[in-house]
Amino acid sequence: MTLTGLRNVAHRVVLYTVREELLGSLDGVEGGSLTLQNSDSVKASGSLSVTLTEPVDWLGVRVMPVHIINGIDYPLGMYIPSVPQERHTATATSVDVKLLDKLTILDQVKQERPFTVLKDTNVITAVKSLIDLAGEKAVAITPSSATTRTDQTWDANTSTLRIINDLLGSAGFYSLACDRLGNYTTSPYVLPADRPVARVMYDDRQSIYTSDFGVEEDLYAIPNKLTCVSTATQSTPALTSIATNTDPDSRFSYPRRGIWIPQRVDNLEVTSQAVLDAEAKKRLVEATTAAMTLSLTHAYVPLALNDVIEFRNMKADLHVRATCMSQNISLNPTELMSATYRRVVTL
């Protein structure tokens, strides 16, 4: 399943009930697009242009766009359609439908009063309970034995999604996302350098990217020393972790610069010293990898945010591994997608 060479492509949009039971295909889809952004808490959005062949109860359905490449289905996620504005002519009714990430549901559910998760509560159990309380059932989350180190309290009107991501961050997990099948998903955070390569993109006879691509570097104030300090209570002292860049091959390291460029982050909620150590290294890696971003246009491939590619362009003398940070996907499978990738570094 290399997805190189000639492709026979098609596309369809599938409708489901709000309980995600299959209804059938949506006819009359004329176009649309999806945008995914890793830095956003609600990571995806999109749109559909549809000429209706029959009425659709938009409040009672969910939508899954699907690319079909060489006879294989590639789902693009499960979305909530907003109530569209209809346009009527003598012969047809057309609509532009906004597609909302299922994370929107959790983002819109607000706490009516201050909300507390008690010390020694299993983090993943608490996260699943919050998703269930919001009425959502499709969950694919990696179990964990991590428990809260202190009582954690959020103010009234805090969103369920914010609470969930705070809890996941305290246990060293990725922020919550929805996968291509619409499942709420997360797993323990893995440093980009330790992730497997999900896709190779070389400038060879099987190349899937265009010759026009961008490389951007942001070199301002990149730290080589990062200190993280946890929250503390009267009975639970603060934890401290320091991550440093001493890699002589890194332009931003202490050996190369000869000075420390420090940053400090306070009041982090973590479940253990090991999680704080991993968080300090994660933040230092993220601050350093912001130095190079690739902007590529390429044929559709089923990459998720946070997936790692290996990229090579001999003309530009560039051969790097990079993490997928954003995607723009046309719902016309004959069109190319665009994406940004952040260079992977090892500290």
Side-chain angles (χ1 to χ4, degrees):
M1 194 166 57
T2 61
L3 292 178
T4 58
L6 295 175
R7 298 183 175 196
N8 293 314
V9 298
H11 180 79
R12 73 171 183 270
V13 174
V14 183
L15 296 179
Y16 292 81
T17 69
V18 292
R19 293 189 176 89
E20 300 185 3
E21 299 160 336
L22 179 63
L23 289 172
S25 294
L26 174 64
D27 295 327
V29 176
E30 297 178 347
S33 63
L34 301 172
T35 299
L36 293 84
Q37 180 65 49
N38 196 36
S39 60
D40 294 342
S41 57
V42 178
K43 301 185 184 303
S45 61
S47 63
L48 281 178
S49 296
V50 186
T51 298
L52 294 176
T53 58
E54 58 184 28
V56 176
D57 176 14
W58 296 108
L59 292 176
V61 298
R62 293 185 179 178
V63 174
M64 178 180 285
V66 180
H67 276 346
I68 306 167
I69 304 174
N70 297 334
I72 298 174
D73 284 1
Y74 293 92
L76 302 177
M78 183 82 74
Y79 296 88
I80 303 163
S82 70
V83 179
Q85 184 175 7
E86 298 183 349
R87 298 186 302 277
H88 297 271
T89 68
T91 58
T93 299
S94 59
V95 294
D96 293 323
V97 184
K98 291 184 179 179
L99 301 179
L100 305 177
D101 192 335
K102 284 175 55 177
L103 293 172
T104 305
I105 297 170
L106 304 179
D107 194 47
Q108 291 179 342
V109 175
K110 311 291 185 181
Q111 302 304 312
E112 295 181 356
R113 57 184 63 87
F115 182 85
T116 298
V117 174
L118 297 177
K119 178 182 177 180
D120 295 327
T121 298
N122 182 275
V123 168
I124 299 304
T125 299
V127 166
K128 288 183 175 180
S129 176
L130 285 164
I131 295 172
D132 185 70
L133 285 171
E136 293 296 291
K137 307 299 180 184
V139 175
I141 294 178
T142 302
S144 172
S145 61
T147 58
T148 51
R149 185 170 169 266
T150 62
D151 292 352
Q152 296 185 36
T153 300
W154 292 264
D155 293 335
N157 206 40
T158 302
S159 75
T160 292
L161 183 60
R162 169 65 185 276
I163 295 171
I164 286 173
N165 282 335
D166 285 350
L167 287 168
L168 291 173
S170 75
F173 272 57
Y174 291 100
S175 61
L176 193 67
C178 288
D179 64 20
R180 285 187 287 268
L181 296 176
N183 297 307
Y184 292 97
T185 184
T186 183
S187 59
Y189 181 84
V190 177
L191 288 169
D194 296 330
R195 298 173 199 168
V197 172
R199 179 71 50 178
V200 172
M201 294 190 187
Y202 285 174
D203 53 340
D204 55 19
R205 296 178 64 182
Q206 294 186 321
S207 177
I208 64 169
Y209 69 88
T210 66
S211 58
D212 297 329
F213 64 93
V215 179
E216 179 181 351
E217 290 197 271
D218 180 6
L219 308 181
Y220 178 73
I222 292 175
N224 52 24
K225 181 178 183 179
L226 196 143
T227 301
C228 286
V229 181
S230 75
T231 55
T233 66
Q234 289 184 344
S235 60
T236 307
L239 302 174
T240 300
S241 182
I242 300 174
T244 58
N245 181 357
T246 57
D247 180 3
D249 294 328
S250 170
R251 290 183 292 170
F252 313 109
S253 68
Y254 178 79
R256 292 285 290 273
R257 284 184 168 182
I259 59 172
W260 289 113
I261 309 295
Q263 281 188 7
R264 180 184 173 100
V265 182
D266 292 302
N267 298 318
L268 290 173
E269 290 286 356
V270 295
T271 57
S272 67
Q273 180 69 51
V275 169
L276 187 66
D277 292 343
E279 182 68 17
K281 187 170 184 180
K282 168 190 171 183
R283 287 174 180 256
L284 183 58
V285 166
E286 288 178 344
T288 305
T289 54
M292 177 183 282
T293 301
L294 296 171
S295 298
L296 304 180
T297 303
H298 55 77
Y300 172 78
V301 285
L303 287 168
L305 298 175
N306 290 313
D307 277 353
V308 169
I309 66 166
E310 184 176 335
F311 176 82
R312 186 192 70 186
N313 186 275
M314 296 179 68
K315 183 178 179 180
D317 191 25
L318 190 60
H319 190 175
V320 296
R321 295 174 67 195
T323 304
C324 185
M325 303 304 296
S326 69
Q327 298 177 339
N328 287 286
I329 303 171
S330 170
L331 297 187
N332 180 345
T334 65
E335 295 183 3
L336 301 178
M337 64 178 283
S338 61
T340 60
Y341 300 88
R342 181 183 293 168
R343 181 177 60 179
V344 171
V345 298
T346 303
L347 301 181

